[in-house]
Every structure is written in structure tokens, then in C-alpha cells.
Amino acid sequence: MVERKKQMSRDRVSRLINWGHWFAFFNGLLAMIVGTRYLSSVGYPETWFGWGYLAVSTIGQFSFLAFIAYLICLFPLTLILPYSKILRGLAAVIATLSLCLLLYDTIVYADYGMHLSPFAFDIAWADLSALLHGTSYIVTPIAILAIELTAANFLWKRIEKIQKLNLGNKVIAFVGVCFVSSHLIHIWADAADITEITRFDDTYPLSYPATARSFMESHGIDGSSQINDEATQASNTLSYPIQPLQCQADSKSNVLMLTIDSLRADMVDAKTMPFLHQYTEQNQSFTQHYSGGNQFKTGMFSLLYGLQGSYGDARIFNNTSPLMIRSFKQAGYELGLFIPETNLNLRSAQAMFNDFTPVIAEETNGSAEADILSVGHFKQWQSAQQRPWFALVNLKAPENFDTPVGFLGIETVKADPNLKPAQKVLFNQYRQSLNFIDKQIQAIVSELPSDTLVVITGVNGKIFTSNSDEALRNLSPESVRVPLVIHWPNALASKVNYRTSHYGVVPTLMTHVLGCTNNTSDYSAGRSLLQPSKETWIYIGDSRIFAIYQQSEITVIDRHGKYRIYDENFEHRLHKKMSAPELIQVLREGRRLYNH
């Protein structure tokens, strides 16, 4: 009798486990339906292999999530409470909560571009009223619960018939093949840089696609090829600009944008850079100016596009050049680009320089020699122009602490005692490089026509290290605060002491040179430099790690939502919670062009 009861108990538990597996599979299907909402944020595939990858990835990922949820929440309850009525009710409630959480994650992802985490949840909770509209957040959970209860009872009553069909192993095999295939396809796509596939990397929650670029290359598989067909066409989910431009230039001044890699604002002094220091005093200088990033690709992106570096990964910018440059071209300007060869490969947006006629300086003998070539190329090009022109001259020597052979430079000075011995050496070598660049700036600017509008700024700042990883992660003021001086023809010298950023350069030139009357928010994250910005923050960085510069603190955030808050000088870490209102504005700005 006892054995019979044990056997009946085992059979009941076995039936409940079988039922639980099918219930989890059903919820995996529901999760796939909810998961399609993520695609409205990132855009749909445009090729058959993109759709194929997305199909197997969706099936594998959401089936896996449903099974994990079953294993953690439902399976233990099956052993503790092996009573079908209780278990079905609890399972329906758990599944409803899980699907509502997934649905809420799709809302947060659409609005902020990130999945739920303790960090994201804090922000979303503070902005709850804006995220949840109408009464759908009440009706939807009730509807889901009704579906779950119906499905739970339906499967329980028919579990024996379902088992007789012997579909279990086939379904498991199919889901397993999809899961493994999605990772294998992603390994290949990562190695071959197939953006049609890799752009979905962060789309689904808890998704960590396998990568093996070095493994593929070590086995003789070429990872450098690109798919140059319709897969690289721009996604139509991003509006840039939001409204068509209305521009009419009254007069056409020549424009020179002179950008120097790794130029710190606090190093432009009378001893190190005498010409630029004097030039700053004689023109409009911006004393509290910040780049949009701590490296070339984010700094240059913010300077030419006027958008946050988080947009730099959008596929549309592989085919869409900066609106400002296109507008100068449409206004009849000749466009010239003078740049070191390696910087062409560092740009985040592949179309960043497409509208220019490029003159590339080889770096065989170092960055300083390449800068000398660029200066010579520009002077030769400028003297031959018959029409109004816009030129971008990019100099790189300070990035590598470089000077040409035989350069005498300036005498060394005592470095900050807080610097390490190796940093003190780099400090003085950096000064030598800046002094060399100062002479190149003088060689260019002193021979320009008087009616030329000149913009001189740093692409990014500089910390004294030879460790590239350290420089990449560092978002301190030394890495991002740069000089900005603008020479307006026939204008008096002035100093702007309110805080400005690279995001304001595009609106300034579009408004005051090209005569564009659009609201600057149609095409930029910034406002004209000639008036204080209403925003109390500046976004600096890309989508992987970024900093929010506020008036009295700096918050550094990584892609997983981990953050640290520092004082305004980046010297002390502050143990406090982040201010939600400013962060909500930052995240919304990073998604604004996707929402039109």
C-alpha cells in the first residue's frame, strides 16, 4: 500500500514536470511575441540572412529564458507542492509577472536604450508616469493572467495526449539547434564584421552572443570582409534631420575648422603655445569648453554631427554624412579634408568624411611629419580655390607626444609633483609636441584671407599615460576639456565663460554662416555657442561608457548600468545616488532621433 502511494506520488510529480515543460514552452512563445517590440527600437533586418539570424536567435533566446524561469521558479514548487490546482495557479501568476516584467523592459529599452537593471529600474521608477500611459498597464496584466490560466488548464487536461505525440524530444532538439546556431552565426558575423547581425547584440535581455574573432582569424578565416550590399543600407528608424532644413546664406565666408587631437585646454599658455594663446586673446574664446568624447572617434563625431557619441553606432551613419557638411556642399562650398591616414580608420561613422575631397598625409615618419605634410597640402589647396571653401584640417602629433626630427622646442619645466615619474617625462614631451603644433597653427592662420571664419579646437583632451586602455576608460576633465577659439571676421575679442561643448559648433555654423532657421533640435543635441545652453549637463563618451558632466559632479556610467559619481574636479568619489531627472534627459536625448 505504501509502495502504491509512493508510485502514485511519483507519477503525479512526473506528470506535473511534463506539464511544466510544455507550459514553459508556451510562455517562450508568448515571450517571443512580446519580444518583437524590441525590433521597433532597433529596426528590422533588410536581408534574408538577417531575418534568418533573427529568427533562430529569437527562438533560442526566449525559449532559454522561459526554461530558466521554469527551472528557478516552478520546478522547485513542483517538488514542494505537487498539487496541480495550486501549482497551476502559482505558475499562471509567476508567468504573468515574468511577461509583464518583459513588457516593461521593452518600454524601458524603447525610451532609454537599455534593459532593466537596478540602475535602469531606479531611473524608470522615477519616470514611471511618463513610461506608462493610459490604463493599459492595468488591463494588460489581467489579460495576460487570463491567458495563462486558460493555457495552464488546457495543457493539464491534455498532457497525456500531448505526451503520446512524442513531440517533446523534437521540440527540445529544434530549440537547441536554434540556440546553438544563433551563437555560431554570431561568431562568424563578429569575425567578418557583418553589422546586419551584430547590430542586434544588445537587443534582447540577458543576451550574450558568442564572439571568436581571434579564433576565426587564427584558423585562416578572413575576418576583414564586409557585406557591401543592401545589408549596409541605413535603417529607417532614425530621423536625421527631424524636419527638412530651411537655409539661406546671406554671404559666403570661407570657413576653416582646425582640429588638434589630444589638445588640453589647461596647456594653452604663453610659454607652451604662444601663438595660439595670443590668438585666443584676440578673438572669441570659450573658457569652459568640452569635447563630446575622450578619443578621436567620439570627439570628431560630436564636432561634425553635433550628436551624442551614443549615436555613433547607428547604421544610418555608415551611409549618412554630417548634415552640416552636406549643407555647406549644397551651398556651393568647396570641401577640403587634410588628415593623417590612421585617423580615417578611427572614425565611428563610416560616412563622416564622405563629402570631402580628402588629402591624406602618410605617417611613415610619424604623426608630426604627417602634420607638416597636411599643413603644406592645405596651403597649396587653399591658394588654388576660386569659390568659397570649407576646410577641415586635422593635426595629430600631441596624441603620440610626437615632434619631428631636429625640432628644438622649448625648455622643460617642473611638472606637477602629484604626477608619477613616467608621467612627468610625458608631461614635458607633451609640451614639446604642443609647441610644434603651435607653429603649425601659426603657419596656417597667418596666411589666411581676412574674411575667413576660423574655428580652432581640440578633438579630445589628454592624460599622461602610454596605456591605451587607461586612456580609453578615463573620462576626467583632462581627457575632455579642450580649448575653443573662433575668429569671426571683423568682430572684437571676447571671452565666453559659461559652459559649452562640441555639440554647439554645428548649430552655430548652421545658424550664423548657412542661415538655417530650423530649431537646432531638428539636427543636433546642442544649441548655438553664442547663448548659454538650457541643459545642466553634457554627455561625454559613447554607448559603452559615458560620463554626465553636471555643475558640481561627474557621473561615469558603463553599458551595464554600473556608475560612479565624482566631484567636479574628478578627484574624489562621492558616495551618493544619481540624480534621476538629469539622467532621464540624457537617455531621452540619446533616443530622441529614433522616436520620430
Tab-separated table of all heavy atoms in Angstrom, residues 536-581:
chain	number	residue	atom	x	y	z
A	536	THR	N	21.586	71.374	-18.090
A	536	THR	CA	22.501	71.466	-16.948
A	536	THR	C	23.544	70.369	-16.985
A	536	THR	O	24.250	70.154	-16.006
A	536	THR	CB	21.712	71.376	-15.628
A	536	THR	OG1	20.994	70.118	-15.592
A	536	THR	CG2	20.728	72.524	-15.500
A	537	TRP	N	23.639	69.672	-18.120
A	537	TRP	CA	24.538	68.529	-18.214
A	537	TRP	C	25.145	68.455	-19.612
A	537	TRP	O	24.648	69.046	-20.567
A	537	TRP	CB	23.782	67.222	-17.929
A	537	TRP	CG	22.497	67.105	-18.710
A	537	TRP	CD1	21.256	67.486	-18.306
A	537	TRP	CD2	22.338	66.616	-20.063
A	537	TRP	NE1	20.333	67.266	-19.300
A	537	TRP	CE2	20.961	66.726	-20.386
A	537	TRP	CE3	23.215	66.100	-21.015
A	537	TRP	CZ2	20.455	66.331	-21.615
A	537	TRP	CZ3	22.709	65.711	-22.251
A	537	TRP	CH2	21.345	65.822	-22.537
A	538	ILE	N	26.242	67.713	-19.714
A	538	ILE	CA	26.892	67.425	-21.002
A	538	ILE	C	27.184	65.929	-21.050
A	538	ILE	O	27.750	65.372	-20.113
A	538	ILE	CB	28.208	68.201	-21.177
A	538	ILE	CG1	27.951	69.712	-21.144
A	538	ILE	CG2	28.876	67.827	-22.509
A	538	ILE	CD1	29.232	70.534	-21.175
A	539	TYR	N	26.797	65.290	-22.144
A	539	TYR	CA	27.057	63.863	-22.355
A	539	TYR	C	28.413	63.707	-23.027
A	539	TYR	O	28.667	64.319	-24.068
A	539	TYR	CB	25.952	63.272	-23.237
A	539	TYR	CG	26.077	61.796	-23.549
A	539	TYR	CD1	25.262	60.866	-22.912
A	539	TYR	CD2	26.984	61.319	-24.503
A	539	TYR	CE1	25.347	59.515	-23.206
A	539	TYR	CE2	27.077	59.978	-24.793
A	539	TYR	CZ	26.255	59.079	-24.148
A	539	TYR	OH	26.345	57.736	-24.441
A	540	ILE	N	29.270	62.896	-22.446
A	540	ILE	CA	30.615	62.692	-22.997
A	540	ILE	C	30.920	61.201	-23.054
A	540	ILE	O	30.878	60.513	-22.030
A	540	ILE	CB	31.670	63.416	-22.143
A	540	ILE	CG1	31.470	64.932	-22.223
A	540	ILE	CG2	33.082	63.049	-22.598
A	540	ILE	CD1	32.318	65.734	-21.295
A	541	GLY	N	31.201	60.685	-24.248
A	541	GLY	CA	31.524	59.270	-24.393
A	541	GLY	C	30.728	58.632	-25.501
A	541	GLY	O	30.202	59.305	-26.400
A	542	ASP	N	30.618	57.300	-25.457
A	542	ASP	CA	29.861	56.562	-26.469
A	542	ASP	C	28.803	55.711	-25.794
A	542	ASP	O	28.442	55.969	-24.643
A	542	ASP	CB	30.799	55.720	-27.343
A	542	ASP	CG	31.692	54.790	-26.507
A	542	ASP	OD1	31.305	54.433	-25.374
A	542	ASP	OD2	32.781	54.430	-26.983
A	543	SER	N	28.301	54.674	-26.483
A	543	SER	CA	27.233	53.857	-25.917
A	543	SER	C	27.753	52.834	-24.918
A	543	SER	O	26.966	52.239	-24.184
A	543	SER	CB	26.479	53.134	-27.044
A	543	SER	OG	27.374	52.309	-27.798
A	544	ARG	N	29.075	52.636	-24.856
A	544	ARG	CA	29.640	51.618	-23.968
A	544	ARG	C	30.030	52.184	-22.613
A	544	ARG	O	29.833	51.545	-21.591
A	544	ARG	CB	30.838	50.955	-24.644
A	544	ARG	CG	30.444	50.119	-25.850
A	544	ARG	CD	31.641	49.713	-26.700
A	544	ARG	NE	31.211	48.915	-27.835
A	544	ARG	CZ	30.700	49.414	-28.952
A	544	ARG	NH1	30.574	50.713	-29.079
A	544	ARG	NH2	30.318	48.626	-29.942
A	545	ILE	N	30.599	53.343	-22.597
A	545	ILE	CA	30.914	54.032	-21.350
A	545	ILE	C	30.815	55.533	-21.596
A	545	ILE	O	31.294	56.030	-22.611
A	545	ILE	CB	32.315	53.637	-20.813
A	545	ILE	CG1	32.597	54.339	-19.486
A	545	ILE	CG2	33.405	53.923	-21.835
A	545	ILE	CD1	33.848	53.819	-18.781
A	546	PHE	N	30.135	56.225	-20.686
A	546	PHE	CA	29.963	57.658	-20.877
A	546	PHE	C	29.917	58.358	-19.530
A	546	PHE	O	29.730	57.733	-18.482
A	546	PHE	CB	28.698	57.962	-21.693
A	546	PHE	CG	27.409	57.509	-21.061
A	546	PHE	CD1	26.680	58.365	-20.250
A	546	PHE	CD2	26.909	56.232	-21.293
A	546	PHE	CE1	25.491	57.965	-19.670
A	546	PHE	CE2	25.722	55.816	-20.724
A	546	PHE	CZ	25.001	56.674	-19.901
A	547	ALA	N	30.110	59.660	-19.587
A	547	ALA	CA	30.060	60.489	-18.385
A	547	ALA	C	29.016	61.577	-18.570
A	547	ALA	O	28.808	62.072	-19.673
A	547	ALA	CB	31.424	61.111	-18.106
A	548	ILE	N	28.374	61.930	-17.482
A	548	ILE	CA	27.441	63.052	-17.474
A	548	ILE	C	28.086	64.144	-16.626
A	548	ILE	O	28.255	63.985	-15.417
A	548	ILE	CB	26.084	62.650	-16.878
A	548	ILE	CG1	25.482	61.487	-17.663
A	548	ILE	CG2	25.123	63.837	-16.882
A	548	ILE	CD1	24.270	60.881	-17.004
A	549	TYR	N	28.459	65.229	-17.279
A	549	TYR	CA	29.072	66.358	-16.590
A	549	TYR	C	27.972	67.319	-16.143
A	549	TYR	O	27.277	67.912	-16.981
A	549	TYR	CB	30.057	67.078	-17.509
A	549	TYR	CG	31.463	66.528	-17.442
A	549	TYR	CD1	31.742	65.220	-17.844
A	549	TYR	CD2	32.506	67.292	-16.959
A	549	TYR	CE1	33.029	64.713	-17.782
A	549	TYR	CE2	33.801	66.795	-16.894
A	549	TYR	CZ	34.059	65.501	-17.308
A	549	TYR	OH	35.344	64.999	-17.235
A	550	GLN	N	27.799	67.459	-14.837
A	550	GLN	CA	26.862	68.411	-14.276
A	550	GLN	C	27.646	69.551	-13.612
A	550	GLN	O	28.874	69.572	-13.654
A	550	GLN	CB	25.935	67.704	-13.288
A	550	GLN	CG	25.028	66.674	-13.983
A	550	GLN	CD	24.331	65.754	-13.009
A	550	GLN	OE1	24.841	64.703	-12.646
A	550	GLN	NE2	23.146	66.160	-12.577
A	551	GLN	N	26.945	70.461	-12.986
A	551	GLN	CA	27.618	71.642	-12.445
A	551	GLN	C	28.605	71.294	-11.338
A	551	GLN	O	29.694	71.855	-11.261
A	551	GLN	CB	26.569	72.630	-11.915
A	551	GLN	CG	25.693	73.235	-13.001
A	551	GLN	CD	26.483	74.081	-13.993
A	551	GLN	OE1	27.552	74.593	-13.687
A	551	GLN	NE2	25.955	74.215	-15.210
A	552	SER	N	28.254	70.376	-10.470
A	552	SER	CA	29.095	70.105	-9.306
A	552	SER	C	29.523	68.653	-9.168
A	552	SER	O	30.134	68.285	-8.165
A	552	SER	CB	28.359	70.526	-8.023
A	552	SER	OG	27.120	69.834	-7.916
A	553	GLU	N	29.213	67.820	-10.163
A	553	GLU	CA	29.612	66.416	-10.088
A	553	GLU	C	29.687	65.796	-11.473
A	553	GLU	O	29.122	66.311	-12.442
A	553	GLU	CB	28.648	65.619	-9.200
A	553	GLU	CG	27.224	65.584	-9.707
A	553	GLU	CD	26.265	64.961	-8.712
A	553	GLU	OE1	26.405	65.252	-7.497
A	553	GLU	OE2	25.374	64.200	-9.129
A	554	ILE	N	30.414	64.685	-11.534
A	554	ILE	CA	30.598	63.947	-12.791
A	554	ILE	C	30.208	62.502	-12.545
A	554	ILE	O	30.759	61.850	-11.646
A	554	ILE	CB	32.058	64.019	-13.272
A	554	ILE	CG1	32.485	65.478	-13.468
A	554	ILE	CG2	32.234	63.231	-14.567
A	554	ILE	CD1	33.984	65.650	-13.636
A	555	THR	N	29.268	61.988	-13.314
A	555	THR	CA	28.814	60.612	-13.171
A	555	THR	C	29.289	59.794	-14.357
A	555	THR	O	29.018	60.144	-15.505
A	555	THR	CB	27.275	60.547	-13.087
A	555	THR	OG1	26.819	61.390	-12.034
A	555	THR	CG2	26.815	59.116	-12.815
A	556	VAL	N	30.014	58.713	-14.100
A	556	VAL	CA	30.522	57.823	-15.144
A	556	VAL	C	29.705	56.536	-15.114
A	556	VAL	O	29.579	55.896	-14.064
A	556	VAL	CB	32.017	57.512	-14.940
A	556	VAL	CG1	32.516	56.564	-16.031
A	556	VAL	CG2	32.830	58.797	-14.945
A	557	ILE	N	29.158	56.162	-16.263
A	557	ILE	CA	28.250	55.019	-16.359
A	557	ILE	C	28.721	54.089	-17.466
A	557	ILE	O	29.070	54.540	-18.555
A	557	ILE	CB	26.813	55.483	-16.669
A	557	ILE	CG1	26.385	56.578	-15.685
A	557	ILE	CG2	25.833	54.315	-16.626
A	557	ILE	CD1	25.106	57.271	-16.081
A	558	ASP	N	28.701	52.767	-17.209
A	558	ASP	CA	29.034	51.820	-18.270
A	558	ASP	C	27.757	51.222	-18.851
A	558	ASP	O	26.648	51.522	-18.394
A	558	ASP	CB	29.997	50.733	-17.770
A	558	ASP	CG	29.374	49.786	-16.746
A	558	ASP	OD1	28.126	49.726	-16.646
A	558	ASP	OD2	30.133	49.102	-16.041
A	559	ARG	N	27.900	50.381	-19.851
A	559	ARG	CA	26.751	49.857	-20.590
A	559	ARG	C	25.867	48.947	-19.741
A	559	ARG	O	24.723	48.656	-20.100
A	559	ARG	CB	27.228	49.104	-21.827
A	559	ARG	CG	28.017	47.852	-21.527
A	559	ARG	CD	28.647	47.270	-22.766
A	559	ARG	NE	27.681	46.946	-23.783
A	559	ARG	CZ	27.996	46.464	-24.970
A	559	ARG	NH1	29.256	46.289	-25.294
A	559	ARG	NH2	27.071	46.164	-25.837
A	560	HIS	N	26.402	48.444	-18.604
A	560	HIS	CA	25.629	47.568	-17.737
A	560	HIS	C	24.921	48.331	-16.623
A	560	HIS	O	24.300	47.732	-15.756
A	560	HIS	CB	26.534	46.506	-17.127
A	560	HIS	CG	27.257	45.677	-18.156
A	560	HIS	ND1	26.593	44.854	-19.044
A	560	HIS	CD2	28.577	45.564	-18.451
A	560	HIS	CE1	27.469	44.270	-19.842
A	560	HIS	NE2	28.675	44.680	-19.505
A	561	GLY	N	25.037	49.650	-16.622
A	561	GLY	CA	24.347	50.448	-15.628
A	561	GLY	C	25.127	50.690	-14.355
A	561	GLY	O	24.621	51.314	-13.429
A	562	LYS	N	26.356	50.218	-14.280
A	562	LYS	CA	27.178	50.492	-13.103
A	562	LYS	C	27.698	51.925	-13.201
A	562	LYS	O	28.141	52.359	-14.261
A	562	LYS	CB	28.351	49.517	-13.035
A	562	LYS	CG	27.917	48.069	-12.834
A	562	LYS	CD	29.131	47.135	-12.799
A	562	LYS	CE	28.686	45.690	-12.634
A	562	LYS	NZ	29.837	44.750	-12.648
A	563	TYR	N	27.639	52.640	-12.102
A	563	TYR	CA	28.054	54.037	-12.169
A	563	TYR	C	28.838	54.452	-10.934
A	563	TYR	O	28.727	53.849	-9.862
A	563	TYR	CB	26.834	54.943	-12.343
A	563	TYR	CG	25.886	54.990	-11.161
A	563	TYR	CD1	26.061	55.927	-10.146
A	563	TYR	CD2	24.803	54.111	-11.076
A	563	TYR	CE1	25.192	55.992	-9.069
A	563	TYR	CE2	23.936	54.163	-10.009
A	563	TYR	CZ	24.127	55.098	-9.001
A	563	TYR	OH	23.273	55.153	-7.935
A	564	ARG	N	29.638	55.487	-11.133
A	564	ARG	CA	30.377	56.118	-10.045
A	564	ARG	C	30.224	57.625	-10.189
A	564	ARG	O	30.215	58.157	-11.307
A	564	ARG	CB	31.863	55.745	-10.096
A	564	ARG	CG	32.132	54.281	-9.767
A	564	ARG	CD	33.621	54.008	-9.693
A	564	ARG	NE	33.916	52.650	-9.268
A	564	ARG	CZ	35.126	52.188	-9.005
A	564	ARG	NH1	36.175	52.986	-9.156
A	564	ARG	NH2	35.312	50.940	-8.612
A	565	ILE	N	30.125	58.299	-9.065
A	565	ILE	CA	29.948	59.746	-9.064
A	565	ILE	C	31.183	60.395	-8.436
A	565	ILE	O	31.641	59.984	-7.367
A	565	ILE	CB	28.688	60.151	-8.276
A	565	ILE	CG1	27.455	59.475	-8.889
A	565	ILE	CG2	28.504	61.656	-8.267
A	565	ILE	CD1	26.173	59.733	-8.131
A	566	TYR	N	31.730	61.390	-9.134
A	566	TYR	CA	32.926	62.096	-8.669
A	566	TYR	C	32.605	63.578	-8.476
A	566	TYR	O	31.603	64.084	-9.009
A	566	TYR	CB	34.059	61.959	-9.690
A	566	TYR	CG	34.483	60.538	-9.950
A	566	TYR	CD1	33.858	59.777	-10.943
A	566	TYR	CD2	35.501	59.936	-9.209
A	566	TYR	CE1	34.242	58.463	-11.191
A	566	TYR	CE2	35.896	58.626	-9.457
A	566	TYR	CZ	35.256	57.901	-10.441
A	566	TYR	OH	35.634	56.596	-10.681
A	567	ASP	N	33.485	64.256	-7.758
A	567	ASP	CA	33.321	65.706	-7.633
A	567	ASP	C	33.679	66.368	-8.959
A	567	ASP	O	34.147	65.722	-9.896
A	567	ASP	CB	34.145	66.259	-6.474
A	567	ASP	CG	35.649	66.110	-6.686
A	567	ASP	OD1	36.069	65.754	-7.813
A	567	ASP	OD2	36.414	66.340	-5.737
A	568	GLU	N	33.463	67.679	-9.050
A	568	GLU	CA	33.617	68.374	-10.329
A	568	GLU	C	35.046	68.362	-10.859
A	568	GLU	O	35.278	68.553	-12.054
A	568	GLU	CB	33.143	69.823	-10.189
A	568	GLU	CG	33.868	70.607	-9.112
A	568	GLU	CD	33.254	71.976	-8.902
A	568	GLU	OE1	32.696	72.518	-9.879
A	568	GLU	OE2	33.319	72.493	-7.784
A	569	ASN	N	36.030	68.105	-9.989
A	569	ASN	CA	37.425	68.030	-10.420
A	569	ASN	C	37.894	66.594	-10.639
A	569	ASN	O	39.062	66.362	-10.942
A	569	ASN	CB	38.328	68.716	-9.396
A	569	ASN	CG	38.014	70.187	-9.256
A	569	ASN	OD1	37.815	70.874	-10.249
A	569	ASN	ND2	37.938	70.673	-8.020
A	570	PHE	N	37.001	65.647	-10.443
A	570	PHE	CA	37.287	64.227	-10.643
A	570	PHE	C	38.351	63.715	-9.650
A	570	PHE	O	39.052	62.762	-9.927
A	570	PHE	CB	37.768	63.973	-12.076
A	570	PHE	CG	37.317	62.639	-12.636
A	570	PHE	CD1	35.998	62.453	-13.006
A	570	PHE	CD2	38.194	61.595	-12.803
A	570	PHE	CE1	35.576	61.242	-13.531
A	570	PHE	CE2	37.788	60.380	-13.328
A	570	PHE	CZ	36.471	60.211	-13.699
A	571	GLU	N	38.418	64.341	-8.495
A	571	GLU	CA	39.447	63.971	-7.524
A	571	GLU	C	38.912	63.037	-6.439
A	571	GLU	O	39.644	62.206	-5.919
A	571	GLU	CB	40.018	65.233	-6.876
A	571	GLU	CG	40.807	66.102	-7.849
A	571	GLU	CD	41.242	67.406	-7.223
A	571	GLU	OE1	40.773	67.708	-6.106
A	571	GLU	OE2	42.042	68.136	-7.859
A	572	HIS	N	37.643	63.174	-6.090
A	572	HIS	CA	37.080	62.365	-5.018
A	572	HIS	C	35.791	61.700	-5.485
A	572	HIS	O	34.948	62.329	-6.134
A	572	HIS	CB	36.779	63.232	-3.787
A	572	HIS	CG	37.981	63.964	-3.270
A	572	HIS	ND1	39.032	63.328	-2.619
A	572	HIS	CD2	38.308	65.280	-3.313
A	572	HIS	CE1	39.945	64.230	-2.294
A	572	HIS	NE2	39.540	65.417	-2.705
A	573	ARG	N	35.656	60.443	-5.123
A	573	ARG	CA	34.417	59.743	-5.437
A	573	ARG	C	33.369	60.078	-4.382
A	573	ARG	O	33.646	60.052	-3.182
A	573	ARG	CB	34.653	58.236	-5.481
A	573	ARG	CG	33.403	57.465	-5.897
A	573	ARG	CD	33.641	55.981	-5.941
A	573	ARG	NE	32.410	55.271	-6.213
A	573	ARG	CZ	32.277	53.946	-6.186
A	573	ARG	NH1	33.338	53.192	-5.900
A	573	ARG	NH2	31.125	53.377	-6.427
A	574	LEU	N	32.168	60.394	-4.852
A	574	LEU	CA	31.071	60.740	-3.953
A	574	LEU	C	30.155	59.535	-3.780
A	574	LEU	O	29.719	58.931	-4.753
A	574	LEU	CB	30.273	61.915	-4.525
A	574	LEU	CG	31.076	63.160	-4.918
A	574	LEU	CD1	30.157	64.221	-5.502
A	574	LEU	CD2	31.845	63.714	-3.725
A	575	HIS	N	29.899	59.160	-2.552
A	575	HIS	CA	29.051	58.006	-2.284
A	575	HIS	C	27.605	58.487	-2.112
A	575	HIS	O	27.140	58.757	-1.011
A	575	HIS	CB	29.542	57.260	-1.047
A	575	HIS	CG	30.907	56.684	-1.230
A	575	HIS	ND1	31.143	55.514	-1.929
A	575	HIS	CD2	32.130	57.144	-0.843
A	575	HIS	CE1	32.445	55.254	-1.952
A	575	HIS	NE2	33.059	56.227	-1.305
A	576	LYS	N	26.941	58.634	-3.230
A	576	LYS	CA	25.571	59.121	-3.239
A	576	LYS	C	24.837	58.522	-4.427
A	576	LYS	O	25.449	57.936	-5.324
A	576	LYS	CB	25.554	60.648	-3.332
A	576	LYS	CG	26.297	61.186	-4.555
A	576	LYS	CD	26.317	62.695	-4.601
A	576	LYS	CE	24.961	63.248	-4.962
A	576	LYS	NZ	25.005	64.699	-5.240
A	577	LYS	N	23.516	58.634	-4.427
A	577	LYS	CA	22.731	58.131	-5.548
A	577	LYS	C	22.679	59.176	-6.654
A	577	LYS	O	22.776	60.376	-6.423
A	577	LYS	CB	21.311	57.794	-5.086
A	577	LYS	CG	21.254	56.594	-4.147
A	577	LYS	CD	19.889	55.947	-4.140
A	577	LYS	CE	19.629	55.192	-5.424
A	577	LYS	NZ	18.374	54.412	-5.383
A	578	MET	N	22.499	58.685	-7.844
A	578	MET	CA	22.474	59.544	-9.008
A	578	MET	C	21.179	60.352	-9.066
A	578	MET	O	20.141	59.912	-8.577
A	578	MET	CB	22.598	58.666	-10.250
A	578	MET	CG	22.924	59.373	-11.503
A	578	MET	SD	23.484	58.210	-12.745
A	578	MET	CE	22.554	56.766	-12.314
A	579	SER	N	21.253	61.525	-9.659
A	579	SER	CA	20.082	62.369	-9.838
A	579	SER	C	19.295	61.876	-11.051
A	579	SER	O	19.773	61.926	-12.180
A	579	SER	CB	20.520	63.826	-10.041
A	579	SER	OG	19.410	64.628	-10.354
A	580	ALA	N	18.081	61.406	-10.795
A	580	ALA	CA	17.290	60.799	-11.864
A	580	ALA	C	16.844	61.784	-12.943
A	580	ALA	O	16.923	61.454	-14.128
A	580	ALA	CB	16.078	60.081	-11.271
A	581	PRO	N	16.368	62.986	-12.620
A	581	PRO	CA	15.852	63.874	-13.683
A	581	PRO	C	16.859	64.161	-14.790
A	581	PRO	O	16.518	64.100	-15.977
A	581	PRO	CB	15.488	65.153	-12.912
A	581	PRO	CG	15.220	64.695	-11.522
A	581	PRO	CD	16.171	63.567	-11.282
